[in-house]
Amino acid sequence: MDETVIENDVQDDVHTPDPEIVEEVEPDAEEVEDAPQAEVHLIEEDPAQAEIDRLQGVVDELQARLRAVSVAYQKQQSEVTATRERLRRQAAVQEELRRGEVVAGLFEPVENLKRSLNAAKKGASAEDTTNGLELVLKAFMGSFEKLGLEEVAGNGAPFDPNIHEALTTMPVTDPALDQVVIEVFSTGYRIGSRLIAPAKVIVGAYQEPVGEA
């Protein structure tokens, strides 16, 4: 076969497209215009839902804070309870020690009193019994003084309703004895500023002597 004829046939095959193929590849302009267009929908945010979400976030944050505060409060209450219990135990120990000191201070006077009573039962003289009881009283008062007990002012002291209990009044002609303790019926005692027992006293009441103008 002639080479020129073959070359021309090849060029015709390469550059001459099949009309049927062109029709299938290139759509008709009217079909393109009539084709349905894809619709694009924009989703708008709901303002009410956005506010609800914001408020829910605030509520969640507040609840978290509340839980944190609650935990801290419970921890603090536990510490306060533990501190109270520790102080209560310490106070109980101190009270027990104080009572032990009181009993120890009174033990010897009580024993002396027992010995005085036994001596009186065995026929000791009145003088010996009196001397023994005076020693017992002195021992008791010494023990009380170690505990801080002291007598309140008695005879000759100005009457003070805070520490004295007036049983009655006694007329006096000396103005200097007006509202002054004349006699002590029962001694009063105190520890520091705390009154243990008021002194029961008779108080002078000034009266102008009869016959004086």
Side-chain angles (χ1 to χ4, degrees), residues 164-182:
H164 299 136
E165 179 182 342
L167 299 178
T168 186
T169 59
M170 178 182 293
V172 293
T173 57
D174 185 354
L177 297 178
D178 186 43
Q179 295 299 307
V180 172
V181 176
I182 302 299

mmCIF file of all heavy atoms in Angstrom, residues 164-182:
data_model
loop_
_atom_site.group_PDB
_atom_site.id
_atom_site.type_symbol
_atom_site.label_atom_id
_atom_site.label_comp_id
_atom_site.label_asym_id
_atom_site.label_seq_id
_atom_site.Cartn_x
_atom_site.Cartn_y
_atom_site.Cartn_z
ATOM 1 N N HIS A 164 -21.183 42.520 150.680
ATOM 2 C CA HIS A 164 -21.813 42.400 152.010
ATOM 3 C C HIS A 164 -23.309 42.162 151.881
ATOM 4 O O HIS A 164 -23.953 42.680 150.959
ATOM 5 C CB HIS A 164 -21.575 43.658 152.853
ATOM 6 C CG HIS A 164 -20.137 43.941 153.132
ATOM 7 N ND1 HIS A 164 -19.589 45.215 153.041
ATOM 8 C CD2 HIS A 164 -19.115 43.120 153.492
ATOM 9 C CE1 HIS A 164 -18.310 45.158 153.345
ATOM 10 N NE2 HIS A 164 -17.996 43.897 153.621
ATOM 11 N N GLU A 165 -23.815 41.388 152.822
ATOM 12 C CA GLU A 165 -25.262 41.196 152.948
ATOM 13 C C GLU A 165 -25.670 41.723 154.321
ATOM 14 O O GLU A 165 -25.293 41.147 155.345
ATOM 15 C CB GLU A 165 -25.627 39.724 152.812
ATOM 16 C CG GLU A 165 -27.117 39.463 152.946
ATOM 17 C CD GLU A 165 -27.454 37.986 152.855
ATOM 18 O OE1 GLU A 165 -26.622 37.203 152.369
ATOM 19 O OE2 GLU A 165 -28.567 37.602 153.293
ATOM 20 N N ALA A 166 -26.416 42.809 154.335
ATOM 21 C CA ALA A 166 -26.793 43.444 155.608
ATOM 22 C C ALA A 166 -27.944 42.663 156.242
ATOM 23 O O ALA A 166 -29.023 42.554 155.667
ATOM 24 C CB ALA A 166 -27.187 44.885 155.370
ATOM 25 N N LEU A 167 -27.689 42.122 157.432
ATOM 26 C CA LEU A 167 -28.744 41.412 158.152
ATOM 27 C C LEU A 167 -29.647 42.399 158.874
ATOM 28 O O LEU A 167 -30.871 42.201 158.943
ATOM 29 C CB LEU A 167 -28.121 40.432 159.158
ATOM 30 C CG LEU A 167 -27.230 39.325 158.552
ATOM 31 C CD1 LEU A 167 -26.641 38.461 159.662
ATOM 32 C CD2 LEU A 167 -28.029 38.490 157.573
ATOM 33 N N THR A 168 -29.053 43.453 159.373
ATOM 34 C CA THR A 168 -29.812 44.502 160.060
ATOM 35 C C THR A 168 -28.909 45.717 160.223
ATOM 36 O O THR A 168 -27.733 45.687 159.851
ATOM 37 C CB THR A 168 -30.292 44.014 161.441
ATOM 38 O OG1 THR A 168 -31.147 45.021 162.042
ATOM 39 C CG2 THR A 168 -29.128 43.753 162.380
ATOM 40 N N THR A 169 -29.468 46.771 160.766
ATOM 41 C CA THR A 169 -28.685 47.977 161.054
ATOM 42 C C THR A 169 -28.650 48.195 162.557
ATOM 43 O O THR A 169 -29.531 47.741 163.295
ATOM 44 C CB THR A 169 -29.286 49.210 160.375
ATOM 45 O OG1 THR A 169 -30.634 49.402 160.828
ATOM 46 C CG2 THR A 169 -29.262 49.063 158.858
ATOM 47 N N MET A 170 -27.619 48.887 162.971
ATOM 48 C CA MET A 170 -27.460 49.211 164.396
ATOM 49 C C MET A 170 -27.256 50.723 164.521
ATOM 50 O O MET A 170 -26.402 51.287 163.841
ATOM 51 C CB MET A 170 -26.245 48.482 164.975
ATOM 52 C CG MET A 170 -25.983 48.800 166.456
ATOM 53 S SD MET A 170 -24.502 47.961 167.067
ATOM 54 C CE MET A 170 -25.045 46.256 166.999
ATOM 55 N N PRO A 171 -28.071 51.368 165.379
ATOM 56 C CA PRO A 171 -27.928 52.821 165.542
ATOM 57 C C PRO A 171 -26.549 53.176 166.102
ATOM 58 O O PRO A 171 -26.060 52.523 167.034
ATOM 59 C CB PRO A 171 -29.035 53.184 166.519
ATOM 60 C CG PRO A 171 -30.017 52.047 166.428
ATOM 61 C CD PRO A 171 -29.201 50.833 166.159
ATOM 62 N N VAL A 172 -25.928 54.196 165.546
ATOM 63 C CA VAL A 172 -24.643 54.690 166.034
ATOM 64 C C VAL A 172 -24.730 56.208 166.129
ATOM 65 O O VAL A 172 -25.416 56.859 165.347
ATOM 66 C CB VAL A 172 -23.487 54.283 165.112
ATOM 67 C CG1 VAL A 172 -23.282 52.781 165.141
ATOM 68 C CG2 VAL A 172 -23.724 54.759 163.686
ATOM 69 N N THR A 173 -24.030 56.728 167.147
ATOM 70 C CA THR A 173 -24.040 58.178 167.325
ATOM 71 C C THR A 173 -22.815 58.845 166.715
ATOM 72 O O THR A 173 -22.726 60.075 166.672
ATOM 73 C CB THR A 173 -24.099 58.516 168.818
ATOM 74 O OG1 THR A 173 -22.986 57.899 169.496
ATOM 75 C CG2 THR A 173 -25.398 58.016 169.439
ATOM 76 N N ASP A 174 -21.873 58.022 166.263
ATOM 77 C CA ASP A 174 -20.661 58.551 165.632
ATOM 78 C C ASP A 174 -20.903 58.618 164.121
ATOM 79 O O ASP A 174 -21.109 57.589 163.474
ATOM 80 C CB ASP A 174 -19.477 57.650 165.950
ATOM 81 C CG ASP A 174 -18.158 58.223 165.421
ATOM 82 O OD1 ASP A 174 -18.199 59.258 164.705
ATOM 83 O OD2 ASP A 174 -17.102 57.623 165.696
ATOM 84 N N PRO A 175 -20.882 59.808 163.539
ATOM 85 C CA PRO A 175 -21.109 59.913 162.092
ATOM 86 C C PRO A 175 -20.116 59.103 161.270
ATOM 87 O O PRO A 175 -20.435 58.669 160.157
ATOM 88 C CB PRO A 175 -20.960 61.413 161.824
ATOM 89 C CG PRO A 175 -21.218 62.067 163.138
ATOM 90 C CD PRO A 175 -20.694 61.121 164.172
ATOM 91 N N ALA A 176 -18.932 58.875 161.806
ATOM 92 C CA ALA A 176 -17.910 58.124 161.067
ATOM 93 C C ALA A 176 -18.288 56.650 160.909
ATOM 94 O O ALA A 176 -17.742 55.959 160.038
ATOM 95 C CB ALA A 176 -16.562 58.238 161.770
ATOM 96 N N LEU A 177 -19.212 56.167 161.737
ATOM 97 C CA LEU A 177 -19.621 54.763 161.664
ATOM 98 C C LEU A 177 -20.887 54.567 160.839
ATOM 99 O O LEU A 177 -21.370 53.440 160.716
ATOM 100 C CB LEU A 177 -19.841 54.209 163.083
ATOM 101 C CG LEU A 177 -18.611 54.173 163.995
ATOM 102 C CD1 LEU A 177 -18.976 53.639 165.375
ATOM 103 C CD2 LEU A 177 -17.501 53.328 163.360
ATOM 104 N N ASP A 178 -21.400 55.630 160.259
ATOM 105 C CA ASP A 178 -22.602 55.517 159.433
ATOM 106 C C ASP A 178 -22.274 54.725 158.157
ATOM 107 O O ASP A 178 -21.287 55.013 157.484
ATOM 108 C CB ASP A 178 -23.128 56.900 159.076
ATOM 109 C CG ASP A 178 -24.464 56.830 158.347
ATOM 110 O OD1 ASP A 178 -25.336 56.042 158.759
ATOM 111 O OD2 ASP A 178 -24.626 57.556 157.341
ATOM 112 N N GLN A 179 -23.080 53.696 157.886
ATOM 113 C CA GLN A 179 -22.887 52.823 156.718
ATOM 114 C C GLN A 179 -21.532 52.112 156.761
ATOM 115 O O GLN A 179 -20.901 51.886 155.733
ATOM 116 C CB GLN A 179 -23.035 53.610 155.415
ATOM 117 C CG GLN A 179 -24.433 54.146 155.185
ATOM 118 C CD GLN A 179 -25.472 53.036 155.099
ATOM 119 O OE1 GLN A 179 -25.328 52.106 154.315
ATOM 120 N NE2 GLN A 179 -26.508 53.127 155.929
ATOM 121 N N VAL A 180 -21.133 51.751 157.974
ATOM 122 C CA VAL A 180 -19.897 50.996 158.180
ATOM 123 C C VAL A 180 -20.263 49.662 158.826
ATOM 124 O O VAL A 180 -21.202 49.571 159.626
ATOM 125 C CB VAL A 180 -18.912 51.779 159.077
ATOM 126 C CG1 VAL A 180 -17.703 50.918 159.473
ATOM 127 C CG2 VAL A 180 -18.441 53.043 158.370
ATOM 128 N N VAL A 181 -19.513 48.609 158.476
ATOM 129 C CA VAL A 181 -19.752 47.282 159.057
ATOM 130 C C VAL A 181 -19.364 47.319 160.534
ATOM 131 O O VAL A 181 -18.204 47.560 160.879
ATOM 132 C CB VAL A 181 -18.952 46.206 158.311
ATOM 133 C CG1 VAL A 181 -19.126 44.852 158.996
ATOM 134 C CG2 VAL A 181 -19.400 46.117 156.852
ATOM 135 N N ILE A 182 -20.358 47.065 161.391
ATOM 136 C CA ILE A 182 -20.131 47.090 162.827
ATOM 137 C C ILE A 182 -19.782 45.705 163.349
ATOM 138 O O ILE A 182 -18.932 45.548 164.238
ATOM 139 C CB ILE A 182 -21.382 47.624 163.573
ATOM 140 C CG1 ILE A 182 -21.729 49.031 163.071
ATOM 141 C CG2 ILE A 182 -21.165 47.632 165.075
ATOM 142 C CD1 ILE A 182 -20.647 50.053 163.295
#
